[in-house]
Amino acid sequence: MKVEKRSLKDILDGTHSLVVPLFQRGYVWKEAEWRQLWEDIARTIDLGRRRDTAQHFIGAIVFEQLLTTAGTMPRRQIIDGQQRMTTVQLILLALRDAVRSRDSESEIARDIDGYLFNKGAKVKEEQDKYKVWPTTADQEAYAAVMSGQSLAVQTEPFRRFTQVRSYFEKVLGAWFEERITEETTFEDVITELFDVVENRLVMAVIDLDGDDDSQEIFETLNALGTPLRASDLIKNHLFRLATNQGIDSATVYDRYWRQVDDEHDFWHRERSVGRTKRTELDIFLQYYLTLKLRHVVAAEIIFR
């Protein structure tokens, strides 16, 4: 693997698609993580006023290059870091719309759009339009929010993405109101903010090679982030087995896992079991294993 420090501009510039693979869970960040990322941005702005070279490290991201044919969209899988990259896309979306609301011809708005969407001859499929494309369960909701549309049935992923966008719209509105004065114009404030987002937020980019096991790396790295549930680990393991055995992952997903994602509001709903809260899916898996193995399986060892 190769590791380099890169800005968001380095990561998002150019025509390509960063794809979240099937074995990953959907978007799970909540307000605490959104707030932390925004505070990092605000702090970097203040630091940059005192030091021109100020940068802020916002974490690591792991990519795996996918094989594509000539003339098609170049794609890389996001093995780790999809929560952060998806949030960054929604920040940029809120920022672009805030700029457009004041200046529909803004060059900064056009630049931001280039970090959100691909254009040109290589855009042949729906997912090709987006710089970041989420895992299957989140795709419909993400596309709707990114295009400013709604869904007839507002699923949990749609509600979550809408909440993220609304959160940053409010944060940016308050930021502009605080910073814009008689001496400081909107253009001054937005230029400073965009410079930080574009150039001063940096990540450790890890590019995997053919000898690296992407799913094993995903499982290991996520042990340090938002805790993975037993069902997340089982899903990861299922798709790793499929890949290792040469079975098409999309077929496995359609047959064994799509219903879980389609019924997200039920299977991922949490309820109290004793002193802890667990999802319906994890509870089901525990009872299923107890039935099959004919002995009680503790919640802590479901995956093992």
Side-chain angles (χ1 to χ4, degrees):
M1 62 178 68
K2 181 175 69 174
V3 183
E4 293 181 333
K5 184 177 79 170
R6 296 182 190 169
S7 68
L8 286 177
K9 180 178 181 179
D10 295 332
I11 296 169
L12 295 171
D13 203 16
T15 301
H16 60 272
S17 185
L18 306 176
V19 181
V20 181
L22 266 175
F23 62 80
Q24 287 201 20
R25 59 185 166 180
Y27 184 78
V28 297
W29 269 19
K30 298 181 180 178
E31 186 170 336
E33 288 86 10
W34 309 337
R35 185 188 310 113
Q36 182 61 59
L37 185 53
W38 171 252
E39 288 174 355
D40 290 341
I41 293 172
R43 188 163 45 251
T44 307
I45 291 173
D46 292 335
L47 186 61
R49 290 172 175 168
R50 300 191 297 273
R51 183 159 52 89
D52 289 342
T53 58
Q55 291 183 323
H56 181 76
F57 176 70
I58 61 170
I61 188 165
V62 182
F63 289 130
E64 181 179 45
Q65 187 69 48
L66 295 176
L67 295 176
T68 55
T69 57
T72 61
M73 183 66 64
R75 293 194 178 105
R76 298 161 86 191
Q77 284 194 136
I78 306 176
I79 302 305
D80 190 64
Q82 64 122 335
Q83 305 290 331
R84 188 173 292 103
M85 285 304 301
T86 303
T87 307
V88 165
Q89 288 291 284
L90 292 161
I91 292 174
L92 288 170
L93 183 68
L95 186 59
R96 184 205 65 181
D97 291 346
V99 176
R100 279 183 175 175
S101 68
R102 292 174 179 257
D103 180 5
S104 60
E105 300 299 321
S106 168
E107 290 187 12
I108 287 180
R110 285 197 292 272
D111 288 343
I112 296 173
D113 207 58
Y115 294 151
L116 296 171
F117 303 103
N118 291 309
K119 297 177 182 178
K122 290 184 179 179
V123 177
K124 294 180 171 64
E125 302 177 20
E126 171 72 9
Q127 71 177 76
D128 292 342
K129 294 192 300 187
Y130 303 94
K131 285 295 172 72
V132 175
W133 187 239
T135 194
T136 306
D138 286 350
Q139 288 170 2
E140 182 182 32
Y142 180 80
V145 171
M146 292 297 288
S147 60
Q149 298 175 356
S150 186
L151 293 178
V153 178
Q154 299 199 354
T155 60
E156 175 57 30
F158 181 79
R159 290 192 291 270
R160 180 67 58 84
F161 288 136
T162 302
Q163 288 168 1
V164 184
R165 181 174 180 171
S166 297
Y167 175 83
F168 285 110
E169 285 173 348
K170 291 176 183 176
V171 165
L172 289 168
W175 174 265
F176 295 141
E177 186 174 343
E178 176 187 334
R179 296 298 175 111
I180 296 172
T181 64
E182 291 183 0
E183 294 79 24
T184 307
T185 66
F186 173 77
E187 188 166 341
D188 294 332
V189 173
I190 197 65
T191 299
E192 182 180 47
L193 175 57
F194 184 52
D195 175 62
V196 166
V197 173
E198 184 182 39
N199 299 305
R200 299 174 186 267
L201 298 183
V202 297
M203 304 181 75
V205 176
I206 303 170
D207 284 304
L208 303 183
D209 57 37
D211 296 327
D212 297 313
D213 186 330
S214 60
Q215 289 159 313
E216 183 176 18
I217 288 169
F218 161 76
E219 183 180 313
T220 303
L221 288 172
N222 273 273
L224 302 176
T226 304
L228 290 167
R229 302 186 183 107
S231 51
D232 294 322
L233 294 169
I234 290 167
K235 180 184 179 184
N236 174 39
H237 186 63
L238 172 67
F239 286 107
R240 185 194 302 174
L241 288 175
T243 300
N244 290 344
Q245 294 175 23
I247 301 170
D248 179 53
S249 294
T251 301
V252 175
Y253 175 81
D254 287 338
R255 183 171 181 181
Y256 296 108
W257 209 271
R258 179 177 290 279
Q259 185 176 351
V260 172
D261 286 338
D262 288 346
E263 298 172 1
H264 183 284
D265 289 0
F266 173 77
W267 287 111
H268 295 276
R269 178 181 65 195
E270 290 188 336
R271 63 180 171 96
S272 296
V273 181
R275 296 182 179 180
T276 62
K277 280 192 171 182
R278 295 163 54 210
T279 64
E280 295 285 0
L281 182 54
D282 278 17
I283 295 168
F284 166 77
L285 290 168
Q286 181 184 15
Y287 293 168
Y288 174 80
L289 286 169
T290 297
L291 175 67
K292 296 295 286 186
L293 300 176
R294 300 193 179 191
H295 65 77
V296 175
V297 176
E300 296 77 16
I301 63 169
I302 292 173
F303 175 59
R304 187 165 76 245

